[in-house]
């Protein structure tokens, strides 16, 4: 019974899961470097390592069920263990590629890092749900601003306390003044985890 309990705990500890993560998911962070960061974090010192891209990766936060990393100057990663209605857990990973217009990808894995289908795990709102016309704005001005949102790019972040996924539109290829104008119509959408999906 004790061995079973230890194995179950190991499978649901984010530090151990992060170390066991396949190298292929972040090619420039091997098992040794991931272990180094986790050890540093538990020692209370800056949990960074010099990665294979000749840059630094930092483990910014680590709990039993979540981790947040600055992978490089150009990308970040969030991991969270999501409880399911079947009584087990799955891993949600959000990779965000930074820049003038951040863009995110969301992936799911079981606790052995086997990929899981995203189908039915995220109930995404229509793209129109990320904008709202203020009462003080004319329809013509609102439609002009909508035309600036091309292509449609989504930025996601995990709220690890809820847990939930928060989506917002990125605004590539617009001038600074236009970006400020767009901020008046952009809204975030928060999708809560219900044990089966984010919706």
């Amino acid at each position: 019974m004790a061995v079973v309990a230890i194995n179950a705990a190991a499978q649901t500890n984010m530090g151990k899961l992060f170390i066991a993560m396949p190298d292929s998911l972040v090619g420039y962070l091997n098992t040794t470097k991931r272990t180094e960061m986790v050890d540093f974090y538990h020692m209370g010192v800056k949990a960074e390592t010099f990665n294979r891209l000749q840059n630094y990766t930092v483990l910014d936060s680590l709990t039993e069920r979540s981790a947040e990393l600055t992978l490089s100057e150009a990308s970040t990663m969030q991991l969270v263990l999501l409880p399911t209605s079947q009584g087990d857990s799955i891993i949600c990973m959000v990779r965000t590629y930074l820049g003038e217009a951040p863009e995110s990808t969301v992936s799911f894995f079981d606790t052995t890092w086997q990929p899981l289908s995203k189908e039915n795990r995220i109930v995404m709102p229509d793209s129109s749900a990320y904008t709202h016309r203020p009462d003080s704005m004319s329809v013509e001005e609102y439609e002009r601003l909508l035309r600036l949102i091309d292509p449609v790019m989504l930025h996601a972040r995990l709220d690890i306390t809820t847990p939930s996924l928060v989506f917002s539109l990125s605004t590539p290829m617009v001038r600074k003044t236009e970006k400020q104008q767009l901020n008046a119509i952009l809204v975030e959408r928060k999708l809560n985890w219900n044990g089966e999906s984010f919706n």
Side-chain angles (χ1 to χ4, degrees), residues 32-190:
T32 301
K33 293 186 178 296
R34 294 194 301 274
T35 302
E36 186 177 71
M37 284 190 290
V38 171
D39 288 344
F40 285 160
Y41 192 90
H42 289 314
M43 291 166 58
V45 299
K46 188 173 184 180
E48 70 177 4
T49 188
F50 197 59
N51 62 46
R52 290 178 170 182
L53 294 180
Q54 307 303 302
N55 206 329
Y56 283 99
T57 294
V58 183
L59 178 60
D60 298 302
S61 69
L62 178 66
T63 71
E64 284 291 308
R65 301 190 67 82
S66 67
E68 298 188 61
L69 297 100
T70 301
L71 293 176
S72 68
E73 294 178 351
S75 65
T76 63
M77 181 170 71
Q78 289 181 290
L79 300 168
V80 67
L81 271 169
L82 300 171
T84 74
S85 55
Q86 287 76 40
D88 56 1
S89 296
I90 63 173
I91 302 165
C92 179
M93 173 191 287
V94 174
R95 294 279 298 268
T96 298
Y97 303 91
L98 306 173
E100 186 178 344
E103 187 173 23
S104 303
T105 60
V106 181
S107 307
F108 296 91
F109 305 86
D110 66 18
T111 52
T112 65
W113 288 104
Q114 294 302 306
L116 301 173
S117 171
K118 285 199 298 186
E119 187 176 0
N120 300 324
R121 295 192 190 278
I122 307 180
V123 181
M124 291 295 295
D126 183 82
S127 59
S128 62
Y130 300 100
T131 62
H132 173 73
R133 181 175 67 87
D135 293 339
S136 59
M137 182 179 291
S138 69
V139 173
E140 291 76 16
E141 174 66 2
Y142 179 62
E143 291 178 347
R144 181 188 75 82
L145 292 175
L146 287 180
R147 289 193 291 272
L148 296 176
I149 306 172
D150 184 30
V152 173
M153 298 170 62
L154 288 176
H155 174 220
R157 72 177 188 276
L158 276 165
D159 180 342
I160 59 179
T161 59
T162 314
S164 59
L165 266 175
V166 181
F167 285 94
S168 57
L169 282 176
S170 289
T171 52
M173 301 171 64
V174 295
R175 296 190 295 268
K176 184 177 180 180
T177 54
E178 291 173 329
K179 185 166 289 194
Q180 292 172 341
Q181 293 169 341
L182 279 168
N183 286 338
I185 70 169
L186 297 179
V187 292
E188 294 183 334
R189 290 299 175 197
K190 186 175 184 179

